[in-house]
Amino acid sequence: MFVISPSSIMNRFSRAELNSTLRPVLLDNETILAIQDNVGLYDGNEKAIGYMKGTVYLTSHRIIYVDSQNPTTNSITVEIKLIRGREFY
């Protein structure tokens, strides 16, 4: 689990822009570092409804979640610079 900086809690995620093949549109000078399928998101200890199965892209700038069932509406991104730590369970 990643911990987001407190000042950005309300604005921690933004909608991910996807191309015609439903892959994320990358920013200038952004590269994909890793891809993981069958990922569900959690909000604290609770499963995030609507974000239970998708693909996560770790890039040089962001973490991008592309939802498998509703990619055009439930795909989100967070900038790596907003992450201040991580927790393991």
Side-chain angles (χ1 to χ4, degrees), residues 16-89:
E17 183 181 353
L18 305 178
N19 63 23
S20 61
T21 62
L22 301 178
R23 290 179 56 100
V25 174
L26 299 180
L27 305 172
D28 290 338
N29 299 318
E30 183 177 27
T31 58
I32 295 175
L33 304 173
I35 302 171
Q36 180 65 52
D37 294 329
N38 299 315
V39 174
L41 299 184
Y42 282 75
D43 187 4
N45 293 328
E46 302 293 322
K47 288 184 179 181
I49 304 300
Y51 302 92
M52 295 184 163
K53 185 178 180 189
T55 301
V56 169
Y57 296 82
L58 173 63
T59 77
S60 54
H61 295 65
R62 302 176 290 167
I63 298 173
I64 305 165
Y65 171 84
V66 178
D67 192 65
S68 296
Q69 293 183 336
N70 298 302
T72 56
T73 58
N74 289 4
S75 295
I76 56 176
T77 182
V78 64
E79 294 182 49
I80 289 176
K81 68 182 180 182
L82 296 177
I83 298 171
R84 63 176 173 86
R86 63 189 184 280
E87 297 176 5
F88 295 98
Y89 293 94

